[in-house]
Every structure is written in C-alpha cells, then in structure tokens.
Amino acid sequence: METSNRDPQLWRMAKDRAKFKSHLSTYVLVNAVLWVIWGLTGQEARPMPWPIWAGAFWGIGLVLQGIRVYAGFGEQQQSEREYEKLVKRTRN
C-alpha cells in the first residue's frame, strides 16, 4: 500500500499502537529475564525482590504510553479535537 493513499491520522495512530505493542513485548521479556536472574542468584531471603523496582517504574511509563495511545489523551489527539471544535464554531 502506498503512503499517499493512507489517511495520515489513521497511519499515525497505527504507528503509535505498533510502537506501544513493541514496548510492551520488550517490557515483558526483559522483566522475565530479570526475575529469572533474581531467582537463580539466590536472593529469595531478602525481604523485597529487586526486579519489582524495574518492573514498577518501567510499568508506570508503559501504562501512561498505553493510555496516551489507546485513550486518545496524547497531545496530537487533543490538538485535533480542538481544531474540530474551532471548525464547527466557525461554520455556525
């Protein structure tokens, strides 16, 4: 499919969603490796497993990215909504 035939807004949304899915799979893979390392190094006696910190803080960023991508709270989506409001006002 040629890029000239694509709706630019839908293409941007598709790229953002693909990027989010890539980040999510990387998150799952890296965190699984961290937990395996933690388990193999015999750190079970410590009160708080250290992979929790990496997963928690990275997870917060991932959740925020998912909200931005899927719920439409990103800067570009808000700009588009404001533009549509202004267009409707000027037509009335």
Side-chain angles (χ1 to χ4, degrees):
M1 181 176 201
E2 292 182 22
T3 56
S4 62
N5 294 338
R6 295 179 181 147
D7 180 342
Q9 181 180 0
L10 292 177
W11 179 242
R12 182 190 45 75
M13 289 173 63
K15 287 192 320 185
D16 287 344
R17 289 180 178 191
K19 206 180 295 185
F20 171 73
K21 290 175 183 177
S22 173
H23 290 171
L24 180 62
S25 61
T26 302
Y27 171 81
V28 169
L29 180 66
V30 169
N31 276 283
V33 169
L34 292 177
W35 280 100
V36 168
I37 292 170
W38 177 78
L40 293 175
T41 57
Q43 300 295 324
E44 294 86 7
R46 292 194 179 195
M48 179 82 64
W50 57 263
I52 285 178
W53 300 110
F57 289 113
W58 190 358
I60 290 169
L62 194 61
V63 166
L64 293 175
Q65 181 186 12
I67 290 171
R68 182 185 61 80
V69 169
Y70 284 99
F73 292 127
E75 184 179 330
Q76 182 124 7
Q77 291 95 339
Q78 290 176 352
S79 298
E80 290 168 3
R81 282 195 291 270
E82 288 299 319
Y83 175 77
E84 291 298 324
K85 286 180 188 177
L86 291 172
V87 168
K88 286 179 184 178
R89 268 192 215 150
T90 58
R91 289 182 183 165
N92 292 335

